Amino acid sequence: MQQENNFSESRRDFIKNLFIGGGVTLALGNLSFTFFDSEKGIEKKVIICDFSKCTGCRTCETSCVAYNFATQDGFETYGIVNPKNANIRVNKFNPDLDIPATCAGCPDTPCINACPINVDRKTGEKALYLNKLTGAISVNVEECIGCGKCAKACETERVGVIRQNQESGKPEGLCTYCDGDPSCVKNCPYGALSYVKVDTNYEFFGKSPEQIAGILTERYYK
Amino acid sequence: MEDIFGILLDINLTTRKTENIYISKRDIELFVGGRGLAMKVLYDRIKPGLDPFSEDNPLIFMSGTFSGLPIPSSSRTCVVTKSPLTSPKKSIFEKASTVSYSNIGGFFGPEIKFAGYEGIVITGKSPFPVYIKIEDNEVKIKDAGDFWGMKTDEFDNAFKKELGDNNFQTCYIGPAGEKKVAYASILHTAGRAAGRGGVGAVMGSKNLKAIAVKGTGMPNVKNPKEFNNLANKARAYFKGREATKYWREEGTAGALKSSSDKGSMAVKNYREGTFEQIENYDAKASREKIWKRDYACYQCQLSCKKSGVVVEGRFKGTIVHDSPEYETGTMVGSNLMLTEINDVMKAIYDGDDYGIDIISLGNTIGFLIEAKEKELIDINFLDGIDLKWNDIDSILSMIKKIADRDGIGDLASKGVKVLSEKIGKGSEKFAIHVKGQSLAAWNVHVNPGTGISYTTSNRGACHLNGGDVDRQNANALKDSLAICFFATGWGGFDTNQLIEFVNAITGSSWDENSFKKAGERIFNLEKMINIREGFTAEDDVLPERFYTEALSSGPKKGAILNRDEFAEKLLEYYKSRDWDISSSKPSEKKLKELSLDFLI
Ligand code: SF4
């Protein structure tokens, strides 16, 4: 794709590109994979890492922020970003291990279950909800009270990717899947990341970086 | 808003005061960042002859122009101070020494930038062990009593726990730094070290165990759009290149075999240049027996670092953070004639764990073994240690002695120059140092260029200095930009690419000439600090060994350095630098040309 290695093609550019020229079919084709529709049985995709290939370079973090926060305070960031704002976070361990972590796409959504704010009684939609278009766990920022229950649930039960905004307490760090073409996956210089269907049988599904590091330390360093 | 050209975080451990110091536009323009800017700070702050362990000696952690930006391999942090290891032949100052700079890869420099600074300048001395915790503009000096004495590998994890947040980047010393071993290192991520020139000892002299930094900001870029185009191109640039594959597969360990084959390796205290058993622990053997994964520094595509574990024998379970590298594998490997891979891994591990520069460590122990073999010293001199070639037990005992500065270890902790002066009896002929700094893992017999690199380096014998004027200037600048040498040599960025980045980031309009001049300016500033201390051309000398003892084995058997030819080469060097051939001082004309008038 022509966008390869392009960090800061913004979300807006992406949508724009959808409607110009020959990219449409391809891009729409890509997009369709991320439609989350449990009734039709289309499965959700998430980002997973081949830990034997990951080197901990943190290019995934910077490319994530470049795409998902292409503008800040009204200014374009042009890829000049702080990696700690990323929705994928590379956790480092000693003995040397690098464990990139993102939302695992848990079908049973413990984060949403923990959210105490019901927004729509009919549909059961909460302040934290599953965006059916993108497949991403999303925050209704208007309704969210920043209680942090989702973050706690994710941390105690699964990967622990949800962070609370320092000021508002509202959840951050949720993977957006970059409109179906995750920036981290295409920019990883080592080909360590892939975008695949959620598989709860996968060895590392839903595990925290600490748990994964424990397993890999046994495997590599004993 | 007025333009800000960068902030230095100034921390005084005596008064416990911290202050933001605004860097002048002129200093940034002239000295760029990293090594260059830190040298200017050092020059401004120290009086000639200052005791390196005095409170006034600043310990400077400087990021570079590229730090914190998504440029491949722009991860380096430069640690600068006045060296406690080096010394001139004579000087009016008792504590005269060279500048010291030592680089680390990893993630520290970028994080300094994210916290809003160009660099951190630490002076003073705490009355008790402390660590510094920096979160953006919040700076805390905290008690490190519980950690004092802790070795680096354990501390790396213990400190993370103490901080309670893995987002901090940390630099720290081990017991050797605490005890002021003159060639103690500073470590980062357990497997990365600013090894050379005793930066860890200066940190220890301040009672400073560690620094942690974390920031929420981003670096400033003048032309972000242009920068972004360049960065996108740069990331694609490394894909699939031969050099990229090489670094990923072999790392610097790839040079173990090739250097041995060329006769340019340090073997048996530099007596030889080829080591027959190198295949026991070259890159191929390490890949088979030790390495489990490759890892990289911030935004780097080369992943030259290799971690693993010793899987058999008495050192089974020893973690290998990053070894062998070429330098470490040679200096405690072939230089001490070790033949077994696991022994080499253990020696490197212990050296790093205590926080000692492995290069100086292997060099010093090699010297002691040779002195004992030649019966200039005996086993009593070594406190009963029967130090021998290829004898891991005696080598490990000596490493511990040095780290503890216990008995003979105290003398050995001052480096090979002091040691040979004490022993006398002609031992200085095989004390392999320049200005008190141990030579690194490249032998000189077959390669006079390396000799130029060692003799003319401003930090004493340095293999990264460069074998000619152009390379030296370019390297000084790369250390100032924070770009890794491995990404700028063979198969990496060319000068033009670096210049484009500089211009996009700083808004200046550098051409190749400005690039060269900036590096030359930095190099000459360092030189002038050394001149002020009393160094002259008399200090730019190689150990006698290379002129008098030809290699006695290997494919380069018979190779020897020709004294006259080398002297001629050095003379040419001075001339092309426009330095005086006896004082080695840069001419006034040169200083003016480089806008260094203030040094006249
Ligand atoms: S970009 Fe790839 S190799 Fe680098 S840290 Fe992320 S997953 Fe690992």
Side-chain angles (χ1 to χ4, degrees):
Chain A
M1 278 181 75
Q2 91 270 25
Q3 294 103 352
E4 265 216 331
N5 283 295
N6 192 342
F7 260 29
S8 60
E9 177 203 25
S10 66
R11 176 165 289 247
R12 200 191 55 227
D13 289 339
F14 180 84
I15 304 288
K16 200 169 66 195
N17 287 344
L18 290 184
F19 298 103
I20 43 172
V24 177
T25 351
L26 174 70
L28 278 180
N30 265 351
L31 256 186
S32 70
F33 280 103
T34 62
F35 285 147
F36 184 89
D37 190 334
S38 45
E39 280 125 60
K40 286 200 197 121
I42 296 170
E43 286 173 67
K44 175 168 164 165
K45 287 170 85 177
V46 287
I47 288 137
I48 62 161
C49 181
D50 177 345
F51 301 111
S52 72
K53 287 188 185 159
C54 173
T55 67
C57 70
R58 303 178 69 186
T59 307
C60 49
E61 293 180 341
T62 42
S63 58
C64 171
V65 189
Y67 186 85
N68 288 293
F69 303 91
T71 55
Q72 255 175 18
D73 308 325
F75 291 101
E76 300 213 28
T77 53
Y78 289 110
I80 301 153
V81 295
N82 190 314
K84 293 188 293 306
N85 296 332
N87 301 329
I88 181 167
R89 291 306 316 280
V90 182
N91 297 269
K92 294 186 170 288
F93 295 90
N94 172 5
D96 310 84
L97 284 169
D98 292 286
I99 315 288
T102 58
C103 174
C106 313
D108 58 343
T109 60
C111 50
I112 296 179
N113 303 351
C115 178
I117 303 299
N118 287 301
V119 174
D120 186 332
R121 280 190 201 287
K122 265 187 243 147
T123 59
E125 187 167 302
K126 295 185 170 186
L128 194 72
Y129 66 101
L130 186 68
N131 181 326
K132 295 216 167 140
L133 183 66
T134 62
I137 306 280
S138 306
V139 194
N140 182 334
V141 279
E142 248 91 84
E143 303 292 339
C144 171
I145 57 165
C147 69
K149 292 212 162 99
C150 53
K152 187 108 219 134
C154 183
E155 189 191 314
T156 52
E157 294 175 49
R158 301 294 152 83
V159 187
V161 289
I162 305 181
R163 306 185 289 270
Q164 285 184 268
N165 182 286
Q166 287 218 317
E167 275 133 46
S168 69
K170 292 178 189 181
E172 290 175 347
L174 287 155
C175 184
T176 66
Y177 311 108
C178 302
D179 304 293
D181 190 14
S183 187
C184 56
V185 175
K186 66 179 174 190
N187 283 295
C188 170
Y190 298 92
L193 300 172
S194 43
Y195 187 44
V196 298
K197 283 181 185 167
V198 177
D199 175 6
T200 54
N201 293 319
Y202 167 54
E203 180 183 16
F204 300 114
F205 170 79
K207 288 205 166 56
S208 70
E210 288 73 19
Q211 287 167 331
I212 297 170
I215 295 166
L216 293 181
T217 299
E218 281 295 317
R219 196 168 296 171
Y220 291 162
Y221 296 119
K222 294 281 147 109
Chain B
M1 199 178 79
E2 229 189 286
D3 254 357
I4 291 175
F5 294 92
I7 297 171
L8 292 178
L9 174 61
D10 185 286
I11 303 170
N12 185 318
L13 290 174
T14 306
T15 61
R16 297 174 79 89
K17 277 212 180 92
T18 66
E19 196 186 340
N20 283 352
I21 295 178
Y22 292 89
I23 302 164
S24 75
K25 182 173 179 222
R26 190 160 169 78
D27 275 356
I28 284 279
E29 277 171 1
L30 293 181
F31 303 105
V32 185
R35 177 172 149 194
L37 187 61
M39 284 300 166
K40 178 59 169 39
V41 175
L42 186 73
Y43 171 81
D44 287 342
R45 299 248 183 149
I46 59 169
K47 285 202 195 84
L50 180 78
D51 180 353
F53 291 143
S54 111
E55 294 182 15
D56 294 335
N57 189 20
L59 178 68
I60 307 163
F61 293 80
M62 199 67 89
S63 72
T65 312
F66 293 1
S67 300
L69 293 166
I71 304 171
S73 310
S74 59
S75 69
R76 312 287 292 171
T77 311
C78 196
V79 187
V80 168
T81 193
K82 184 170 187 281
S83 176
L85 176 64
T86 54
S87 56
K89 286 218 157 68
K90 45 181 192 285
S91 166
I92 52 167
F93 305 112
E94 197 200 329
K95 300 284 183 184
S97 70
T98 64
V99 300
S100 183
Y101 58 89
S102 196
N103 284 284
I104 343 172
F107 306 87
F108 198 76
E111 205 61 41
I112 293 178
K113 274 271 168 70
F114 298 143
Y117 308 104
E118 291 301 307
I120 305 165
V121 183
I122 300 152
T123 53
K125 175 184 176 164
S126 169
F128 54 87
V130 290
Y131 71 83
I132 298 171
K133 184 178 175 184
I134 302 163
E135 281 185 89
D136 291 329
N137 50 19
E138 193 179 286
V139 182
K140 289 185 184 141
I141 299 169
K142 305 190 88 167
D143 194 326
D146 289 351
F147 303 113
W148 205 247
M150 198 180 272
K151 293 187 209 164
T152 61
D153 201 14
E154 185 188 354
F155 179 76
D156 182 65
N157 277 327
F159 194 37
K160 264 181 226 152
K161 224 182 235 160
E162 161 90 3
L163 295 165
D165 178 350
N166 287 344
N167 289 314
F168 280 97
Q169 296 300 334
T170 62
C171 278
Y172 44 84
I173 55 171
E178 296 169 12
K179 294 216 167 72
K180 302 195 280 265
V181 170
Y183 43 92
S185 58
I186 295 174
L187 278 96
H188 168 55
T189 70
R192 295 174 166 99
R196 308 240 64 203
V199 288
V202 172
M203 190 153 162
S205 77
K206 300 189 175 311
N207 261 325
L208 179 61
K209 179 73 179 175
I211 310 179
V213 57
K214 186 180 86 165
T216 55
M218 280 152 251
N220 281 326
V221 169
K222 272 273 169 0
N223 300 318
K225 200 167 175 185
E226 167 66 7
F227 170 82
N228 188 39
N229 288 336
L230 294 170
N232 286 334
K233 267 194 266 165
R235 270 188 301 275
Y237 181 76
F238 284 93
K239 213 176 259 177
R241 299 200 143 216
E242 264 317 298
T244 304
K245 280 186 217 152
Y246 171 83
W247 289 116
R248 289 183 181 190
E249 180 55 30
E250 308 200 8
T252 64
L256 287 165
K257 175 86 172 63
S258 58
S259 177
S260 174
D261 289 349
K262 283 185 209 132
S264 58
M265 174 178 239
V267 179
K268 208 177 184 189
N269 194 32
Y270 301 81
R271 180 66 189 80
E272 303 297 337
T274 297
F275 190 54
E276 243 177 73
Q277 288 90 347
I278 197 60
E279 281 170 21
N280 290 355
Y281 50 90
D282 64 0
K284 191 161 163 273
S286 302
R287 177 69 67 196
E288 269 165 34
K289 294 187 175 144
I290 302 286
W291 296 344
K292 291 288 163 41
R293 57 185 293 268
D294 312 325
Y295 66 106
C297 298
Y298 190 61
Q299 303 292 314
C300 183
Q301 305 200 6
L302 306 179
S303 66
C304 74
K305 301 183 74 68
K306 320 288 171 200
S307 64
V309 67
V310 174
V311 292
E312 58 187 8
R314 47 192 284 238
F315 301 123
K316 184 171 188 265
T318 300
I319 295 294
V320 171
H321 286 300
D322 178 26
S323 33
E325 298 170 290
Y326 175 70
E327 293 295 326
T328 57
T330 300
M331 291 312 297
V332 297
S334 61
N335 198 47
L336 306 183
M337 304 293 283
L338 284 177
T339 56
E340 296 309 314
I341 190 166
N342 297 337
D343 292 353
V344 178
M345 296 302 114
K346 174 65 176 164
I348 295 171
Y349 179 86
D350 279 11
D352 276 337
D353 205 19
Y354 287 116
I356 313 178
D357 172 31
I358 307 284
I359 296 177
S360 296
L361 181 67
N363 184 307
T364 304
I365 294 178
F367 169 82
L368 283 173
I369 298 177
E370 182 164 350
K372 176 165 167 286
E373 192 183 52
K374 293 201 155 106
E375 297 182 347
L376 308 181
I377 56 173
D378 62 12
I379 193 166
N380 295 325
F381 184 88
L382 298 171
D383 298 338
I385 299 175
D386 191 11
L387 198 56
K388 286 190 294 240
W389 303 118
N390 194 21
D391 179 41
I392 187 64
D393 288 297
S394 64
I395 289 166
L396 293 179
S397 305
M398 189 51 69
I399 294 175
K400 183 167 181 347
K401 280 255 171 200
I402 291 171
D404 292 341
R405 287 184 61 183
D406 170 32
I408 174 65
D410 182 41
L411 189 60
S413 79
K414 295 179 167 60
V416 77
K417 181 185 181 190
V418 175
L419 204 46
S420 70
E421 282 166 0
K422 183 84 185 173
I423 293 170
K425 303 176 192 164
S427 64
E428 62 283 354
K429 289 204 177 75
F430 59 89
I432 310 297
H433 69 91
V434 176
K435 305 181 179 75
Q437 169 96 283
S438 290
L439 264 70
W442 302 89
N443 215 331
V444 186
H445 302 80
V446 296
N447 191 358
T450 313
I452 295 291
S453 179
Y454 285 138
T455 45
T456 61
S457 158
N458 291 319
R459 63 172 182 175
C462 163
H463 61 294
L464 298 168
N465 183 39
D468 57 54
V469 171
D470 283 347
R471 255 182 262 179
Q472 293 180 355
N473 294 342
N475 288 351
L477 189 65
K478 288 173 195 172
D479 282 345
S480 306
L481 299 175
I483 189 85
C484 182
F485 288 3
F486 300 162
T488 55
W490 163 63
F493 292 129
D494 60 31
T495 308
N496 217 24
Q497 286 168 292
L498 299 179
I499 292 171
E500 285 177 343
F501 270 123
V502 170
N503 289 340
I505 295 165
T506 64
S508 41
S509 41
W510 273 20
D511 54 19
E512 211 162 312
N513 193 43
S514 355
F515 188 91
K516 277 190 191 153
K517 275 272 158 320
E520 190 182 6
R521 181 180 303 120
I522 291 160
F523 199 88
N524 276 276
L525 169 64
E526 294 170 342
K527 182 70 186 177
M528 285 302 286
I529 300 176
N530 290 349
I531 295 277
R532 201 167 67 162
E533 294 285 313
F535 287 86
T536 68
E538 259 183 54
D539 296 294
D540 296 353
V541 287
L542 282 174
E544 274 300 292
R545 162 148 289 169
F546 304 117
Y547 302 119
T548 52
E549 297 169 274
L551 298 179
S552 75
S553 63
K556 291 293 154 88
K557 186 173 168 180
I560 194 162
L561 193 64
N562 182 301
R563 198 185 294 269
D564 294 338
E565 277 172 28
F566 188 73
E568 188 58 37
K569 213 172 155 65
L570 201 54
L571 207 62
E572 269 167 39
Y573 171 91
Y574 286 135
K575 282 187 194 149
S576 67
R577 279 230 177 260
D578 199 0
W579 288 359
D580 184 86
I581 54 169
S582 66
S583 69
S584 78
K585 190 176 171 184
S587 75
E588 273 192 35
K589 183 168 147 269
K590 178 54 79 182
L591 293 175
K592 279 190 187 144
E593 177 196 316
L594 295 171
S595 315
L596 292 171
D597 310 57
F598 64 95
L599 294 173
I600 295 171

